[in-house]
Amino acid sequence: MTHHAPPVTGPEFFDVDRVRLTEVAPPVLSPALVAARDRVWEEAVRANPELFDGPVVACAGLASDGPGGLVLEWSRATYRHRWLRRLPGAVGALPSLFVGVVQPVEDGRVLVVRMAPWTSAPGRWQLPGGSVEPPAPGGVLDGTALAREAARELVEELGVVVDHGELELAGVTRARGGGVGALYLAPPRSEAELRAGFAGLVRAERARGREPELVELVFLGSVAELSGLTGPRADYLVPVLEREGRRTR
């Protein structure tokens, strides 16, 4: 498989039940491109000091792995690499890899959350989730590791504990902006339980002098209900809600 960034033709939704991950070397950037990337990153940090240049995983390629499967090539990067995509025509600008959790409630609706104004996606409606961090040297990034990342995001964003073994791969999405996400289906929970977990998390975060990453929860039962949300929203929400509607009929 050729090492290249996937073409940005999204939004796309790959209805697969397995993903195989292969690490490849990151693209080599010219000194001029590195300097330009660092300039836009530093401008972004001045505008939002909460941004942190931590380690992340970038998606270097996607290909079919037979019926129901995908091969995903990935590279190690840091958070500032995302800002490379803001430079027109930048060669080597790989999209980020993230995980998201499709959390249904008992009546079939799906939890959708809104990001806080101080985050890198201010006010955006999306699934609970976040960027994937690369494994430590000698570690492995595979489907099990992605499920663990998804379970960790539920704890960190919603105060909800789930065993990663209970999460089922629901598909892979490629956004119009290029980001690639592995989406995991969680067992149904009651709306009351999810709201109580989130309220407890908010209290704990504020007691530590921090603001939570999320500011609002809604529960949607159809694509039509997306029109009632004001502000930006992740483009994968449409295929996710369509899929969940078919699954629960």
Side-chain angles (χ1 to χ4, degrees), residues 111-200:
L111 171 64
V112 175
V113 301
R114 192 173 198 180
M115 299 295 289
W118 59 266
T119 63
S120 61
R124 185 174 68 189
W125 295 97
Q126 59 181 55
L127 297 177
S131 300
V132 174
E133 297 182 5
V140 175
L141 184 63
D142 56 14
T144 299
L146 292 183
R148 287 197 181 99
E149 291 265 331
R152 177 180 59 82
E153 291 290 345
L154 274 184
V155 173
E156 293 182 356
E157 294 188 345
L158 291 168
V160 172
V161 178
V162 63
D163 186 277
H164 73 274
E166 297 182 88
L167 300 179
E168 172 189 339
L169 184 64
V172 173
T173 179
R174 179 161 55 187
R176 188 175 286 107
V180 174
L183 307 182
Y184 284 84
L185 178 65
R189 295 176 183 262
S190 71
E191 179 178 342
E193 180 184 2
L194 293 168
R195 290 196 182 278
F198 180 60

Side-chain angles (χ1 to χ4, degrees), residues 53-105:
D53 193 25
V56 295
V57 169
C59 179
L62 283 176
S64 173
D65 194 28
L70 279 179
V71 178
L72 189 155
E73 289 185 333
W74 66 275
S75 297
R76 296 172 188 267
T78 65
Y79 199 78
R80 74 174 61 205
H81 184 83
R82 293 183 177 185
W83 267 254
L84 191 61
R85 300 185 66 82
R86 303 190 179 193
L87 300 174
V91 177
L94 301 181
S96 59
L97 177 64
F98 66 92
V99 290
V101 180
V102 182
Q103 176 61 71
V105 292

Side-chain angles (χ1 to χ4, degrees), residues 38 42 145 162 167 208:
D38 290 349
E42 289 159 7
V162 63
L167 300 179
R208 299 184 184 102

